[in-house]
Amino acid sequence: MTVPIDFWFSIGSPYTFLAVMRLPEVAESAGVEVRWRPFDARAVQLDANDVPFADKPLKAAYMWRDIERRAAKFGLPLRLPIPYPLPELEQANRVAVLAADEGWCPAYAIATYRRWFVDRDPAGSEPNLSSSIREVGQDPARVLKQADSGAVADALDAATREAKEIGIFGSPSFVADGELFWGHDRLEDAIEWQHNLDLGNPG
């Protein structure tokens, strides 16, 4: 039985846009199953004293130009500049945790990233939150109330602890049978690794 690839992601990570928007099509084409695993990357980075683009204007400028180039390569719509950094991230990721549990996480993540990167509505804030939830056929009032519950907050904390325990330090990350691949441009590498395992040729 094929083991799914775990896609560890955190809404609020700019480079995760490139992975979220491509992943469903790439995974379907490759015939692999993917589990979407939301976690709080900001908490992981703060614990490690590793905030990638804080007070680093040259690195930030490169990041946005790099994302612009990659988006053009993949044919993804993008309207820079977009709001960044985002003031609110945890609620967006709590919604993602609930969505993963209920089976609508990919559609929600795509919707919220599209609104952030194309409509320039910050992810994690209104109107992005409610509009993205409504777009995927869910009731914003129900979802937001449930996402604010202690149970969902605890689930996000548990996922974040699990991510740290298996060595994840940033978003997006892919784990194929215990092997970690970090970065949107490692998506194909993770799939290739999984295919080799399925064929009995690890590594």
Side-chain angles (χ1 to χ4, degrees), residues 31-185:
V32 299
E33 181 184 352
V34 176
R35 290 186 297 201
W36 291 55
R37 304 294 309 276
F39 76 109
D40 187 347
R42 178 177 286 179
V44 171
Q45 291 164 344
L46 288 174
D47 284 350
N49 194 28
D50 176 27
V51 182
F53 302 104
D55 302 319
K56 298 175 183 176
L58 292 178
K59 189 174 182 180
Y62 171 82
M63 175 187 72
W64 291 119
R65 180 57 185 145
D66 189 41
I67 289 174
E68 187 175 40
R69 288 192 304 255
R70 304 293 284 181
K73 175 181 178 179
F74 299 133
L76 301 176
L78 171 66
R79 291 177 62 223
L80 296 179
I82 66 167
Y84 184 79
L86 300 177
E88 300 291 339
L89 295 178
E90 189 171 335
Q91 191 174 33
N93 285 301
R94 288 199 304 268
V95 170
V97 166
L98 179 63
D101 184 60
E102 295 183 348
W104 45 277
C105 188
Y108 163 70
I110 290 169
T112 199
Y113 264 99
R114 188 184 66 251
R115 283 185 166 81
W116 181 20
F117 273 69
V118 178
D119 299 336
R120 298 173 177 165
D121 290 333
S125 302
E126 296 295 355
N128 188 317
L129 266 173
S130 292
S131 296
S132 298
I133 293 166
R134 189 177 297 110
E135 179 182 323
V136 300
Q138 302 297 320
D139 174 35
R142 176 194 74 84
V143 168
L144 293 173
K145 180 179 180 180
Q146 202 163 338
D148 286 339
S149 69
V152 174
D154 289 346
L156 177 60
D157 289 344
T160 303
R161 289 195 301 272
E162 182 182 350
K164 290 172 64 177
E165 287 168 2
I166 62 179
I168 290 172
F169 53 88
S171 173
S173 293
F174 307 90
V175 177
D177 196 48
E179 196 75 17
L180 173 62
F181 298 85
W182 172 57
H184 80 92
D185 53 347

Side-chain angles (χ1 to χ4, degrees), residues 13-32:
S13 157
Y15 271 111
T16 298
F17 162 72
L18 299 170
V20 162
M21 303 306 284
R22 297 181 60 228
L23 181 53
E25 182 179 352
V26 172
E28 182 178 3
S29 177
V32 299

